Amino acid sequence: MAVRPVLRMGHQLLRQVAAPVATFGTPALRELLCDMDDTMRALNGAGLAAPQIGVSLRVVIFEVNRNPRYPHVDEVPYTVLVNPTLEPIGAELEDGWEGCLSVPGLRGVVPRFRQLRYRGFDAEGRPIDRTVEGFHARVVQHEVDHLDGVLYPMRIRDLTRFGFEDELFPEGYVRPPD
Ligand code: NI
């Protein structure tokens, strides 16, 4: 178990398409998930994808607890998601602020599908199948993008709504976009 360095935007591993996990329940997969968990918690992230710690596999974790800095976001249960697939429900997009441990200190407004179904597996290969909306849907889309070499700044449509968190939100909490 270890907190691992998080790669930052520009690193070539963050631009690759990650490979699917072939075998579940292995010590290597459990160790990877332990390191991801330690790293996400140490850095107070809402999620982490394996490529961010230098492992190009289709593995993400996420969890959102109540946080006074983000008073408008919903809680999301702790989830390990391996080999995920996303299926948007409807075409409705919603704007929301995002940040990323690979883009430290910055925030940007990103449009995401408001509602979607996601499927995948936990660390032991048990299937996961959920239909979610709002912030939960946003977090999944952000993390799965990492597996395809996409970082959130690549999806920003209006660069006037991209900047340093402490400049954008001097009050200390994130206001939802207008
Ligand atoms: Ni990220």
Side-chain angles (χ1 to χ4, degrees), residues 52 99-101 142-143 146:
Q52 291 181 277
C100 180
L101 295 175
H142 175 116
E143 296 310 328
H146 277 294

Side-chain angles (χ1 to χ4, degrees), residues 11 16 33 45 78 87 91 126 128 133 141 144:
H11 194 287
Q16 283 182 11
L33 285 162
Y78 181 74
E87 193 184 315
R126 290 179 291 251
I128 293 169
E133 59 181 34
Q141 288 169 86
V144 172

Side-chain angles (χ1 to χ4, degrees), residues 69-123:
R69 286 168 67 222
Y70 310 106
H72 303 283
V73 308
D74 309 322
E75 288 190 51
V76 179
Y78 181 74
T79 302
V80 167
L81 189 61
V82 180
N83 296 349
T85 58
L86 303 185
E87 193 184 315
I89 297 174
E92 191 188 341
L93 299 173
E94 192 169 60
D95 280 341
W97 288 99
E98 295 189 15
C100 180
L101 295 175
S102 294
V103 192
L106 291 156
R107 294 263 159 193
V109 171
V110 182
R112 299 285 188 186
F113 289 107
R114 201 185 70 76
Q115 202 182 11
L116 59 79
R117 178 182 184 183
Y118 67 89
R119 281 175 277 190
F121 302 89
D122 71 10

